[in-house]
Amino acid sequence: MDPSWQIALHLARKFNLVFGEDIVFTYGPLGFLYTRLPIAIDKFVYLLFDAFFVFNLGYILHFAIKKTFGFATFLFVCIAVTAVAYENADQWYFFFFLFHLLHYHENKSNKLSLIISALLSIICFYIKLSLGIVSIVLFDVVFLYLILRGRIVWWSGLTIIACQFALLLISSYLLNVQLIEYVQGSLQIINAYNDSMLLSGDQVYHAFLWIIFGIVSVYVFYGLLLLLVAIKTKNIVDRLDEFLVLCIAGLFLFIVYKNGVV
């Protein structure tokens, strides 16, 4: 990939350019977490984010192994981490965000996952807008769902959403971002980028695309089957939590598939 845009992101930070006004791209002011170039970014900043990254990874691995400890679980976790070791930073942070959001959904007393999920939604927003918008909206949707289901009191849920929005505004000032222009300009580029990059690619990769498409199709079929069963047994309301988790996991699966295609 042409590294010129990566250098441009770092130079934008060096010369205090306004994201959304002076520079418009799909990657935002925290895009340096993807590029990791030693330009205009203090090494301490990289160290801080790396420590946060390792903390989240360790937290998830500890939870997975403690929840269902066994050799098979440990082997699966090792293989999974190895398989995604070279994924982009934005996808890693989005995965961390989904984990903490669902973890809080399962255990409302876990305030740490609440705080981290809100923080990660902001980080995703300023790394790459396409994932960032999804994380911001998904965070709000989950808390509106919790309010409507009576899992948390309405004023508490709305306060959490308001705090996330306030954090978004404060961070936009600190990161030198014009929010409206940042979103509008990046969305235009994303739309054109998807149209230009949606190519069939080399013939050798076609088999893998069909395999992934098959996995996505099976997942969709499984979800529809559960929905039909719930309709037939008239217990849709009792299984709303299950469908919410399925939709979120399906969204993540689709994003991974979409990123692979483009």
Side-chain angles (χ1 to χ4, degrees):
M1 182 179 290
D2 183 6
S4 59
W5 68 268
Q6 301 181 21
I7 298 174
L9 282 178
H10 286 261
L11 291 179
R13 299 297 305 166
K14 181 177 181 179
F15 295 105
N16 294 319
L17 299 184
V18 179
F19 281 82
E21 183 176 299
D22 300 321
I23 180 172
V24 179
F25 197 60
T26 54
Y27 284 90
L30 295 183
F32 62 81
L33 295 175
Y34 169 82
T35 62
R36 299 191 67 88
L37 297 177
I39 303 175
I41 304 297
D42 193 281
K43 293 180 180 179
F44 178 76
V45 175
Y46 282 125
L47 179 61
L48 182 64
F49 276 100
D50 287 347
F52 183 61
F53 183 96
V54 171
F55 167 80
N56 279 281
L57 185 59
Y59 187 98
I60 293 174
L61 292 177
H62 173 75
F63 173 83
I65 295 175
K66 183 179 179 181
K67 192 78 172 179
T68 55
F69 181 76
F71 177 75
T73 302
F74 178 75
L75 182 62
F76 171 78
V77 169
C78 290
I79 294 175
V81 171
T82 302
V84 298
Y86 297 101
E87 288 296 324
N88 297 337
D90 49 300
Q91 294 186 38
W92 269 106
Y93 281 106
F94 185 69
F95 168 71
F96 293 158
F97 161 73
L98 291 181
F99 171 83
H100 285 289
L101 185 64
L102 291 176
H103 197 195
Y104 178 78
H105 174 266
E106 180 186 11
N107 182 9
K108 308 301 181 298
S109 63
N110 191 337
K111 304 303 181 185
L112 179 62
S113 282
L114 167 63
I115 295 172
I116 293 178
S117 62
L119 182 59
L120 284 168
S121 68
I122 303 299
I123 292 175
C124 289
F125 183 79
Y126 289 118
I127 294 179
K128 191 175 184 181
L129 185 69
S130 55
L131 285 181
I133 289 181
V134 174
S135 62
I136 294 291
V137 172
L138 190 57
F139 183 90
D140 295 340
V141 167
V142 168
F143 277 93
L144 289 175
Y145 169 82
L146 293 175
I147 293 172
L148 294 175
R149 293 279 288 165
R151 304 292 175 78
I152 57 176
V153 294
W154 66 269
W155 60 265
S156 177
L158 293 181
T159 300
I160 292 171
I161 294 175
C163 288
Q164 185 210 32
F165 183 70
L167 183 61
L168 184 66
L169 292 178
I170 294 173
S171 57
S172 69
Y173 173 78
L174 295 176
L175 295 173
N176 211 18
V177 177
Q178 289 286 347
L179 273 179
I180 296 178
E181 291 81 359
Y182 173 65
V183 173
Q184 289 178 340
S186 297
L187 287 178
Q188 292 178 359
I189 295 178
I190 290 170
N191 181 53
Y193 176 82
N194 288 338
D195 291 340
S196 63
M197 294 298 289
L198 189 59
L199 304 174
S200 60
D202 296 333
Q203 187 70 30
V204 68
Y205 297 115
H206 289 187
F208 296 100
L209 290 176
W210 280 111
I211 292 173
I212 298 173
F213 179 76
I215 294 173
V216 174
S217 300
V218 170
Y219 188 90
V220 172
F221 176 78
Y222 174 71
L224 292 175
L225 182 62
L226 289 181
L227 179 60
L228 291 175
V229 171
I231 293 175
K232 187 175 181 179
T233 56
K234 298 180 180 180
N235 66 341
I236 294 181
V237 176
D238 296 333
R239 304 185 67 174
L240 282 178
D241 282 1
E242 183 180 355
F243 289 128
L244 176 66
V245 174
L246 280 173
C247 288
I248 293 176
L251 175 64
F252 179 71
L253 186 62
F254 169 76
I255 288 175
V256 173
Y257 172 72
K258 174 254 182 187
N259 286 344
V261 171
V262 300

